[in-house]
Amino acid sequence: MNLTYLFVLIWLAFLISSGVMLFSRGFLLARVSKTETSTCRRLSTNPNAEYVLTDEVVNEIFKDVNASSNLCLPQKSKVIVLVVDALKYEFGLYRANATDPLPYENKLVVLQELLQQNPDHARLMRFRADPPTTTLQRLKGLTTGSLPTFIDIGSNFASPEINEDNIIDQIVKNDLPVVFLGDSTWTDLYPHRFKRSYSYPSFDIFDLDSVDNEILKHLPKELESKDWQVLVAHFLGVDHCGHKHGPMHEEMARKLGEMNEVIRSVVAAMDNDTTLLVMGDHGMTASGDHGGDTDDETNALLFAYSKQHRFYGNDSGSDSEMLQQIDLVPTLATILGVPIPYSNLGLVNFNIVPDLRVPHLNKFQTLLLHSWQNAQQIYRYFFQYALENKRTFNVEQMDHLETEFILLTHRVQTVYNEVAFKSFVRDLNTNLRDILGTCREIWVRFDPTQMSQGLLFTFLPLFFIFLVVNNSRPADFPHIFKAKEVFYVYLINLAAGVFGYRYFKTFSFKTEEQGVIFFTAISSAVILAFHTLRHWTSIATNWSAVKRFGHMPTRLLLFGSMAVFFSNSFVIQEAKILSYLLAAAILLLSHELLRLSARLDFRTKFKASQFLRSTALRLILASVLAICLIRFAYTLFRCREEQGNCSDFVNTGGAGFSLKKPGTGKTYILAVVVLVVYTTLTRLYLRSCGNLTGNLPNVLLARYGPTVASICAGGHILLANSSIKHIQRTHIDAMALVIYGLLLVQIIVLSWAPLMTFVLPPRSSHTVTINGNESIVPEIFRKMKRMYEGDDDERRSHIPVVYGLATVYSSIVIAFGVFLALVMIVLLEPRASIGLVVCVAVGAILLSVHSILRYRTATSFESCVQPTFTALVGWFLLAHFCFFATSHQTTLSQIEWRAAFVGRTTGIGQSNLVSGALVILNTFCGPIFFFCMYSLLSTETFSLFALFPNLIRSCRSGGKVDASTSMSDLANEAVGFDMTRGELSLYEYEDVFLGTGFKLATQFFMLQGLKIFCAMLACTIHCRHLMVWKIFAPRFIYEALATFVSLPALIVGYLLVLRIHRGVDTLIKRINKAKVH
Amino acid sequence: MVSRFDQQKTKHQLFHVSLSLATILICMAYMQYRRNWAHLGSFWDSLVVPIVFLGELLKVVLARFYGKVEDGVLTAKQRQKKNSYFTPRELLGGFTLQFLCTLLYAFICIILGAPVLGNYEQTFVLALLMTLLTVSPTVFLLGGGGALQVCFCEKPDFVTKCEDTALNLFKYNALGGILGAWAGSVVAPLDWGRDWQAYPIPNVIGALLGSALGNIYACTHVLYATARVYMTKKRT
């Protein structure tokens, strides 16, 4: 019976997640990659080759230029490619009269010298990248010449081998040896392609020198070697310096100076037949980061140099100011005499092609052949793609482009002189750029069918959850979700999934996934509708009992948090909006508590002295403290570019770069102090509950584990972020690994023996003593006596006394939360760690205020264990507010990638799965933590009452107080059942408790599902908005990931409650058995 | 038996609501006359606070007028309370209570997002307006001690019938003002670039509009009750 609810939760999580997945497939449409390759017959000047370039061949070519697409002209030169990661365009500019240059200014002086000495042999251009600007995506664009799509962001962890045609494969296939040095991303993308490779992992983004030093060790002898035609070197120091220090740091000056010397030495060592290309794969923001689509991130630098031969000039018709990164691919193919890759969309830029005279051809004939081969390759790819993927492109647009192409094919036959060539090339370039624009527009095209189905299949589970679960009482759940029926539900879904997998084409679905999701969603909706109809009587009865406007203020807060997605301004300022709504939720709880206390405590006359001593004042002060903490978290928020005064993105006149401040020592000290205070307070709380007594495994772990973990976390905070240079990274990693290990041990102990109780051994009757200092033990003793009806003196001496039974559920959840929080703290940066602890404090205050409010308004056990809707929404808002309080922002540039390397800088466990898990844990620490701990909303009322029984006196101060009246009778009179047993009452009413836990989890499912539904709806409404890829799509991606993380976290929270409940059941049975014996 | 229609009470209620709406209309007309709304955050350059203050005073005077007409016989506690209205102790208590409420509202504005180290005048003006809309009418009517009794305890014995009527209407004013000021922040994050989006202009206007809506709701309530009485009488 207990596991039935768990399987229902898993089923509902699957339904919501599959709807979100379906929508994301339609919204973040991927470009279909093709595996065809280009081929050509290479014309050679060697008389003994298979295909020789002669006068007769040239005459044949120009009889029909259209038939020349399978010919390649001879190679022009060898090529050296120096990729300096994150080399920004502004880094290469030279300000002659700079009296006080910035750290990145005027460092690459060799470029300026070469430009001045040999203007015709050197080129400096802007190198425009397509977003997203991560190295992997940029390398794909630089080698395939094709457009990345948004869906490629997901593959950033995987580094899969490229299976499309690309320039590296073309070079290798045409027997041109390639040597590679530097970033191992290249060898991941292109394994076994290089004649020699010296690849080094780009793992440690805080290491500025290792990869570059290794390149410098091997580069000189490779330059002297004669057995390669292409040499590629990828330097990482500038990029890592940007991540660690930002561009406004002396280390950036040092790294750029090093690059300057590298370029100088390469220029000196290269021979006359070599072309040097120096480029950045992307730029960087003012804070040294990249990944998004700002101008700072997409503007890289390209420098080209040829020692002996001049480059073609402006008369070739190519742009001399800006080069698209995809244009590099056909340009390299032209220089090397190899085919242009199949799916290239870039144009040859002749400004960086050496002007070598081809025998038997004049200059413009050469340019014409190159341009026309480029054009024919693009046309072939474009129309083939359109043919195989129907309905991809607009029909009229296709006809227009095809008509222009046909006109150009006729016109190319009549190009006989320079004037005609220039006119033709200009029109040709315009047409090819139109194709590129068409593809750019289309490959972010949205699939309306999948989007609408995703919206529908996300909404249907929410609707039926609201009807079935939210309007039923926990006592009804055993009838609604029977174990056998849940098993049948899984069987039906399995059958529907198999059916969808087999027959997806019959229903015109694009993928098997869509078929599976469609049919499982339909069958599940039918099953839920059946459940609704079958239990409609009780549902309608419960629904009519609810007050019509009972939750109106809280619903307004919920509406406000959902409305954030529909305005780009609200998305930009979401951190402050969430804090505003969260403060309002806390004020609502305080208002209800104050109104209740006023009626009870000050019945006839208001007395200031009585108010100052009352519980209500303390709780109101606690609420004010919580709101002050939320206000303090403003200082921890991270800003984004659209907030006009964002210091991370200021770029006024190039002089506005800001230092990427690593944080002052005070921040580190404050983070460590906050951490120690958190672990100490938690330990004191558990001790006062009696849960740290005895020698059970979880007791020992909770007693000593947080101390060890906080010492390691504090050490890690101080050492990992400091500038001490001689510290061993192995030692820093060991601290993080200790914390990881403690969490694993905690999980193992929870699975094995989760309880934190202590059973006193039985004593003989004449030596029984009660420790007067313990306020809990006498209560537990009397309750145990009354529970087991030990009336006679003989059996009374054998009644066991158990420490910590009053808080048996919440103590284990809190102890687990400590280890989870410490893992997150070590992954977060110091300021963000403060934010996490601040949110934990706000959560504790929220629990306290709500628990007392719940106690004072409860009329039965069920109303005591079921939280109010205001507390539910408050907890939900707090979980998402924690995302911003831990210095995160919903932009792709501001993902904290450094979390993947915490504890792993020595290469331990080089697995992308572990890296992804650590980054997810860092980014979504708020939802994970608060949803794992959601059961505290149910249990905290009981533990607070067990710890502070005098709360009940406030309720009865107006009536006649009789000293002989027992606490049990008072509790019975107040709430209808005996509450003095604390959380042991939850075990007595286990059906209601587990049912309420299930209901609470499904309510959080509804809130999260409603949130992601609004995010998807906003993306649908704004899919043509100017800011959709900057604002709404990243927001949807973050919310989708939060959904995929939150639903499992809620399931983990419920699983934790089930496990504790089984432990309590075992303990009670063991005590019963001992008693009988 | 038919219920006696309380004509005097209905007149009092309608007059009260009309005064509230007239006050807010005068504020809106004044803002329209000034055109530039940046002055709303200035204490000495804006007349909104004096207008609201006078409006509240007029409502209290109205309650006194109807009390004199209708409350012919006062109980001992009511007479004692009335005699002690203008004692220095009561005046000082009332002033202190309003001052503390202004400080409390300023603090709440700051912890809800107002600038901590700036805009003190704007925060003070908003807090003062909130106090005038919520706490001051009750203090003017019953004095400081009476206001605390009414807010936190059961209905005291010294409250007369007309005072009870006014207190019920003050509730709508207060609730509307608070919710309106809170909801006025909705325009702050928008990137429309208008002058009136600056703090505290949306919150001041939100408080006034919220108060107006509260009064309109109260007026609807009164008219509905009156119509029901007439329909009942007609059916009889």
Side-chain angles (χ1 to χ4, degrees):
Chain A
M1 171 54 69
N2 294 345
L3 294 181
T4 307
Y5 295 147
L6 185 70
F7 284 113
V8 174
L9 285 180
I10 293 172
W11 172 44
L12 297 173
F14 166 76
L15 291 179
I16 297 172
S17 301
S18 56
V20 176
M21 181 78 69
L22 201 60
F23 181 88
S24 67
R25 289 303 169 94
F27 183 60
L28 309 170
L29 191 66
R31 176 182 58 88
V32 182
S33 62
K34 294 180 158 303
T35 54
E36 288 94 333
T37 58
S38 301
T39 57
C40 79
R41 286 182 288 152
R42 303 182 64 208
L43 301 176
S44 174
T45 54
N46 187 351
N48 298 322
E50 182 181 1
Y51 303 103
V52 183
L53 184 64
T54 61
D55 275 324
E56 294 80 18
V57 172
V58 169
N59 289 332
E60 287 298 315
I61 287 170
F62 282 99
K63 282 182 182 177
D64 186 8
V65 184
N66 287 317
S68 70
S69 60
N70 63 340
L71 298 176
C72 287
L73 296 181
Q75 179 184 356
K76 297 180 180 351
S77 73
K78 296 159 70 178
V79 174
I80 298 174
V81 177
L82 299 184
V83 182
V84 181
D85 208 299
L87 185 63
K88 199 173 183 176
Y89 179 63
E90 282 76 16
F91 291 174
L93 296 179
Y94 190 79
R95 273 205 311 145
N97 301 320
T99 57
D100 186 13
L102 297 169
Y104 62 86
E105 275 186 333
N106 297 356
K107 294 299 180 292
L108 300 176
V109 291
V110 66
L111 308 186
Q112 187 66 20
E113 291 168 6
L114 292 172
L115 281 165
Q116 285 180 352
Q117 294 169 17
N118 300 289
D120 289 335
H121 294 245
R123 299 277 187 255
L124 182 69
M125 298 170 79
R126 198 183 300 266
F127 202 32
R128 176 59 70 102
D130 285 287
T133 51
T134 54
T135 295
L136 180 77
Q137 303 304 315
R138 294 293 87 243
L139 291 188
K140 284 184 174 180
L142 283 168
T143 52
T144 61
S146 205
L147 294 174
T149 52
F150 226 66
I151 201 68
D152 286 345
I153 294 170
S155 65
N156 199 74
F157 284 106
S159 289
E161 181 179 350
I162 286 184
N163 59 350
E164 277 185 293
D165 196 9
N166 58 85
I167 190 66
I168 300 292
D169 281 337
Q170 288 289 353
I171 290 167
V172 172
K173 203 181 304 179
N174 287 272
D175 297 322
L176 300 178
V178 190
V179 173
F180 174 76
L181 307 92
D183 185 2
S184 63
T185 307
W186 287 77
T187 50
D188 294 336
L189 292 172
Y190 302 108
H192 318 300
R193 306 297 209 276
F194 304 105
K195 186 184 180 71
R196 283 187 299 280
S197 67
Y198 308 87
S199 66
Y200 310 99
S202 60
F203 207 73
D204 188 359
I205 60 171
F206 295 143
D207 183 359
L208 311 187
D209 296 309
S210 291
V211 173
D212 292 8
N213 287 344
E214 292 293 330
I215 296 174
L216 294 180
K217 188 192 301 181
H218 298 285
L219 186 59
K221 66 184 183 185
E222 289 298 337
L223 287 172
E224 293 168 9
S225 175
K226 301 301 179 186
D227 62 348
W228 53 264
Q229 294 295 317
V230 179
L231 183 143
V232 180
H234 191 150
F235 295 84
L236 293 173
V238 171
D239 176 81
H240 289 185
C241 183
H243 281 302
K244 185 174 183 183
H245 301 294
M248 298 284 291
H249 196 273
E250 59 185 29
E251 284 291 290
M252 182 59 85
R254 177 177 73 84
K255 292 308 297 185
L256 288 175
E258 283 181 15
M259 293 297 106
N260 186 64
E261 294 308 313
V262 167
I263 297 168
R264 194 185 296 276
S265 62
V266 168
V267 165
M270 71 193 225
D271 56 26
N272 292 335
D273 289 328
T274 307
T275 301
L276 170 66
L277 298 172
V278 181
M279 64 187 72
D281 57 342
H282 50 74
M284 62 171 67
T285 63
S287 59
D289 297 309
H290 60 88
D293 62 349
T294 63
D295 280 354
D296 283 334
E297 289 162 295
T298 55
N299 274 334
L301 176 140
L302 181 97
F303 176 78
Y305 180 69
S306 175
K307 187 170 270 188
Q308 172 166 305
H309 307 287
R310 302 187 312 153
F311 291 122
Y312 287 103
N314 283 337
D315 48 2
S316 63
S318 297
D319 192 341
S320 60
E321 292 293 329
M322 196 261 287
L323 187 74
Q324 305 246 8
Q325 286 203 352
I326 55 176
D327 294 342
L328 180 74
V329 169
T331 306
L332 272 180
T334 299
I335 295 172
L336 295 166
V338 300
I340 300 173
Y342 180 83
S343 43
N344 165 70
L345 289 170
L347 303 185
V348 181
N349 192 305
F350 294 101
N351 281 302
I352 59 173
V353 175
D355 186 359
L356 259 76
R357 173 172 172 75
V358 181
H360 316 291
L361 288 166
N362 64 36
K363 174 177 175 180
F364 293 102
Q365 285 177 324
T366 306
L367 293 177
L368 183 67
L369 280 183
H370 285 314
S371 299
W372 191 240
Q373 285 165 9
N374 189 190
Q376 287 201 301
Q377 172 266 314
I378 291 178
Y379 285 130
R380 188 186 315 115
Y381 169 66
F382 180 66
F383 288 102
Q384 194 70 21
Y385 189 99
L387 194 64
E388 293 182 7
N389 300 273
K390 292 193 190 318
R391 299 175 297 171
T392 301
F393 299 105
N394 185 276
V395 177
E396 291 86 18
Q397 207 165 14
M398 290 288 299
D399 288 343
H400 175 71
L401 291 169
E402 190 168 12
T403 302
E404 284 199 6
F405 165 62
I406 292 172
L407 288 177
L408 288 166
T409 56
H410 288 95
R411 189 171 161 190
V412 72
Q413 312 280 25
T414 61
V415 176
Y416 293 123
N417 52 39
E418 181 175 345
V419 175
F421 167 78
K422 285 185 178 180
S423 172
F424 173 78
V425 162
R426 184 175 61 251
D427 293 343
L428 183 70
N429 287 350
T430 303
N431 187 251
L432 295 179
R433 285 308 193 205
D434 284 348
I435 290 179
L436 176 61
T438 301
C439 291
R440 275 211 176 103
E441 177 188 304
I442 281 306
W443 277 322
V444 293
R445 181 169 172 248
F446 314 105
D447 187 347
T449 305
Q450 294 201 64
M451 286 169 73
S452 55
Q453 283 178 8
L455 284 169
L456 181 67
F457 296 150
T458 304
F459 180 74
L460 282 177
L462 303 180
F463 177 68
F464 285 119
I465 289 171
F466 174 74
L467 287 182
V468 177
V469 178
N470 209 45
N471 289 312
S472 300
R473 299 176 64 247
D476 298 330
F477 290 152
H479 306 295
I480 299 175
F481 302 110
K482 296 195 179 90
K484 192 181 295 184
E485 292 181 2
V486 172
F487 176 69
Y488 287 151
V489 165
Y490 272 79
L491 272 188
I492 291 169
N493 274 273
L494 186 62
V498 170
F499 180 82
Y501 187 87
R502 290 264 290 107
Y503 299 105
F504 73 98
K505 279 181 178 166
T506 310
F507 296 90
S508 303
F509 292 144
K510 291 187 177 178
T511 57
E512 292 92 341
E513 276 178 354
Q514 191 175 350
V516 171
I517 291 173
F518 183 87
F519 285 105
T520 51
I522 291 289
S523 61
S524 300
V526 170
I527 291 164
L528 284 167
F530 173 74
H531 278 30
T532 306
L533 290 178
R534 200 176 60 172
H535 300 93
W536 182 251
T537 304
S538 63
I539 288 171
T541 304
N542 289 319
W543 205 345
S544 62
V546 178
K547 282 192 294 180
R548 280 178 62 187
F549 297 105
H551 302 308
M552 196 47 68
T554 313
R555 285 181 181 171
L556 285 178
L557 294 184
L558 199 60
F559 176 79
S561 68
M562 301 305 166
V564 162
F565 295 101
F566 293 90
S567 166
N568 54 304
S569 302
F570 286 162
V571 173
I572 289 163
Q573 301 283 354
E574 188 178 358
K576 291 188 176 177
I577 292 169
L578 270 186
S579 59
Y580 198 67
L581 297 173
L582 181 57
I586 294 176
L587 285 177
L588 255 182
L589 282 176
S590 304
H591 167 69
E592 292 178 39
L593 185 61
L594 182 61
R595 191 179 58 185
L596 194 64
S597 299
R599 296 296 169 237
L600 291 175
D601 294 339
F602 316 112
R603 194 178 305 273
T604 54
K605 184 160 178 61
F606 179 81
K607 293 191 179 70
S609 58
Q610 188 176 352
F611 177 66
L612 291 178
R613 280 186 285 105
S614 65
T615 307
L617 177 64
R618 284 183 228 134
L619 290 172
I620 288 164
L621 290 181
S623 303
V624 168
L625 175 64
I627 300 176
C628 289
L629 289 173
I630 293 169
R631 187 69 166 93
F632 164 73
Y634 272 40
T635 59
L636 309 171
F637 289 163
R638 203 163 175 179
C639 55
R640 54 190 288 171
E641 182 189 8
E642 295 87 9
Q643 299 169 1
N645 55 350
C646 185
S647 59
D648 287 351
F649 287 93
V650 166
N651 192 18
T652 52
F657 278 98
S658 68
L659 278 169
K660 183 173 185 178
K661 302 174 182 176
T664 60
K666 290 181 181 177
T667 305
Y668 300 146
I669 299 296
L670 180 60
V672 174
V673 167
V674 164
L675 170 67
V676 170
V677 166
Y678 169 57
T679 50
T680 305
L681 286 181
T682 309
R683 185 190 162 97
L684 288 179
Y685 173 80
L686 291 177
R687 185 198 296 275
S688 65
C689 297
N691 292 112
L692 292 186
T693 311
N695 295 313
L696 288 180
N698 209 2
V699 172
L700 293 177
L701 190 59
R703 195 188 294 156
Y704 303 117
T707 305
V708 173
S710 60
I711 290 170
C712 291
H716 189 276
I717 287 173
L718 291 177
L719 295 178
N721 298 280
S722 70
S723 56
I724 302 173
K725 296 190 175 179
H726 301 297
I727 192 71
Q728 288 272 0
R729 293 208 69 90
T730 311
H731 299 157
I732 302 175
D733 290 350
M735 295 179 181
L737 292 177
V738 165
I739 297 171
Y740 295 159
L742 281 170
L743 180 63
L744 284 181
V745 171
Q746 168 75 83
I747 291 170
I748 292 169
V749 167
L750 279 179
S751 308
W752 172 40
L755 291 191
M756 294 169 68
T757 53
F758 176 62
V759 183
L760 278 178
R763 302 178 181 183
S764 58
S765 60
H766 61 276
T767 57
V768 167
T769 55
I770 304 298
N771 189 353
N773 295 327
E774 291 286 343
S775 62
I776 300 297
V777 175
E779 298 292 337
I780 301 300
F781 181 79
R782 283 195 286 269
K783 296 308 149 284
M784 298 296 287
K785 181 177 73 172
R786 193 173 298 123
M787 175 188 288
Y788 298 112
E789 303 171 0
D791 294 319
D792 56 292
D793 293 339
E794 186 64 28
R795 298 178 61 182
R796 180 173 305 163
S797 60
H798 295 291
I799 298 296
V801 176
V802 185
Y803 282 85
L805 209 56
T807 52
V808 65
Y809 286 90
S810 60
S811 56
I812 298 165
V813 176
I814 288 169
F816 173 72
V818 171
F819 290 107
L820 190 61
L822 284 165
V823 167
M824 292 165 172
I825 282 168
V826 87
L827 291 173
L828 295 162
E829 61 177 344
R831 285 172 70 254
S833 306
I834 299 169
L836 179 63
V837 178
V838 161
C839 290
V840 171
V842 173
I845 293 170
L846 190 71
L847 283 177
S848 305
V849 175
H850 167 258
S851 299
I852 293 172
L853 175 65
R854 207 75 198 108
Y855 168 73
R856 291 190 169 187
T857 54
T859 56
S860 66
F861 176 82
E862 183 178 338
S863 56
C864 219
V865 80
Q866 174 73 44
T868 62
F869 191 54
T870 308
L872 207 80
V873 171
W875 194 260
F876 180 76
L877 292 175
L878 178 59
H880 289 280
F881 170 76
C882 197
F883 173 84
F884 295 100
T886 50
S887 295
H888 292 103
Q889 193 52 265
T890 58
T891 59
L892 299 174
S893 308
Q894 286 164 305
I895 297 173
E896 280 281 342
W897 298 113
R898 62 174 279 282
F901 310 108
V902 172
R904 302 166 73 227
T905 52
T906 53
I908 298 175
Q910 283 207 23
S911 161
N912 294 312
L913 199 63
V914 176
S915 299
L918 292 178
V919 173
I920 291 281
L921 206 56
N922 168 287
T923 307
F924 299 103
C925 56
I928 291 172
F929 182 84
F930 286 101
F931 287 146
C932 282
M933 315 274 290
Y934 85 93
S935 59
L936 292 178
L937 284 166
S938 285
T939 61
E940 202 61 23
T941 306
F942 298 84
S943 31
L944 275 193
F945 182 78
L947 290 173
F948 307 103
N950 61 343
L951 292 178
I952 199 170
R953 283 201 197 95
S954 302
C955 181
R956 305 291 304 166
S957 63
K960 183 172 77 80
V961 178
D962 193 350
S964 64
T965 308
S966 69
M967 195 67 70
S968 301
D969 295 338
L970 284 176
N972 265 308
E973 189 173 349
V975 298
F977 69 98
D978 186 2
M979 207 183 200
T980 54
R981 273 167 276 187
E983 290 178 7
L984 202 59
S985 308
L986 302 172
Y987 173 74
E988 294 179 22
Y989 299 85
E990 60 175 340
D991 286 346
V992 178
F993 171 56
L994 294 179
T996 305
F998 168 73
K999 182 172 180 176
L1000 198 55
T1002 53
Q1003 281 170 329
F1004 278 118
F1005 273 29
M1006 270 195 288
L1007 292 179
Q1008 183 62 41
L1010 193 59
K1011 200 160 196 273
I1012 189 60
F1013 178 79
C1014 289
M1016 289 164 19
L1017 195 60
C1019 286
T1020 307
I1021 291 171
H1022 292 296
C1023 63
R1024 291 302 172 193
H1025 194 279
L1026 183 68
M1027 311 287 276
V1028 63
W1029 296 116
K1030 202 176 192 67
I1031 306 286
F1032 298 104
R1035 188 68 193 91
F1036 162 70
I1037 290 172
Y1038 269 89
E1039 197 58 40
L1041 289 173
T1043 303
F1044 297 149
V1045 167
S1046 301
L1047 304 186
L1050 286 161
I1051 292 172
V1052 166
Y1054 190 69
L1055 200 52
L1056 194 59
V1057 171
L1058 287 184
R1059 181 71 192 90
I1060 300 168
H1061 184 73
R1062 207 154 75 88
V1064 175
D1065 189 62
T1066 305
L1067 174 71
I1068 298 298
K1069 282 175 179 163
R1070 181 155 26 99
I1071 290 176
N1072 265 329
K1073 189 178 299 183
K1075 169 176 170 295
V1076 170
H1077 177 73
Chain B
M1 167 182 280
V2 300
S3 64
R4 189 178 71 89
F5 176 56
D6 196 338
Q7 197 174 40
Q8 289 285 66
K9 181 180 175 182
T10 305
K11 281 183 182 176
H12 180 196
Q13 287 172 328
L14 291 180
F15 208 155
H16 186 112
V17 169
S18 302
L19 274 178
S20 296
L21 289 174
T23 302
I24 293 161
L25 278 177
I26 291 170
C27 288
M28 294 300 172
Y30 168 72
M31 284 190 282
Q32 193 66 27
Y33 164 74
R34 287 293 300 264
R35 300 216 174 271
N36 177 24
W37 288 358
H39 70 275
L40 284 182
S42 174
F43 179 68
W44 300 109
D45 194 25
S46 168
L47 288 182
V48 169
V49 166
I51 289 168
V52 171
F53 178 76
L54 284 179
E56 303 301 326
L57 272 187
L58 284 177
K59 284 188 268 188
V60 171
V61 168
L62 182 72
R64 289 278 179 246
F65 170 77
Y66 273 94
K68 194 168 304 185
V69 167
E70 190 164 348
D71 297 333
V73 179
L74 301 180
T75 62
K77 286 199 171 183
Q78 290 170 354
R79 194 177 303 110
Q80 177 188 350
K81 186 64 180 178
K82 193 170 183 180
N83 291 334
S84 69
Y85 181 76
F86 281 109
T87 58
R89 175 188 167 88
E90 280 292 324
L91 290 180
L92 185 62
F95 184 79
T96 304
L97 184 61
Q98 291 178 80
F99 180 71
L100 289 179
C101 281
T102 305
L103 287 188
L104 180 66
Y105 275 120
F107 180 68
I108 289 176
C109 289
I110 289 174
I111 62 177
L112 282 183
V116 179
L117 299 176
N119 294 107
Y120 289 132
E121 187 177 17
Q122 286 83 3
T123 304
F124 175 68
V125 167
L126 180 58
L128 191 60
L129 183 69
M130 297 298 298
T131 301
L132 287 175
L133 287 174
T134 57
V135 172
S136 293
T138 310
V139 172
F140 293 163
L141 191 67
L142 298 175
L148 283 176
Q149 294 280 106
V150 164
C151 288
F152 289 108
C153 307
E154 294 177 354
K155 181 181 167 184
D157 296 333
F158 54 79
V159 172
T160 63
K161 178 164 157 289
C162 284
E163 285 171 352
D164 190 48
T165 303
L167 286 174
N168 283 326
L169 292 173
F170 286 151
K171 252 189 281 185
Y172 295 105
N173 217 50
L175 195 64
I178 289 172
L179 290 184
W182 186 84
S185 297
V186 73
V187 301
L190 296 172
D191 57 351
W192 297 344
R194 302 280 198 269
D195 295 338
W196 47 266
Q197 286 178 274
Y199 172 77
I201 300 169
N203 301 103
V204 167
I205 296 173
L208 294 174
L209 290 181
S211 185
L213 285 179
N215 281 284
I216 287 169
Y217 177 79
C219 186
T220 307
H221 207 74
V222 170
L223 291 178
Y224 176 74
T226 306
R228 193 170 57 180
V229 168
Y230 271 114
M231 294 305 295
T232 306
K233 181 178 294 185
K234 187 172 184 179
R235 194 177 303 110
T236 307

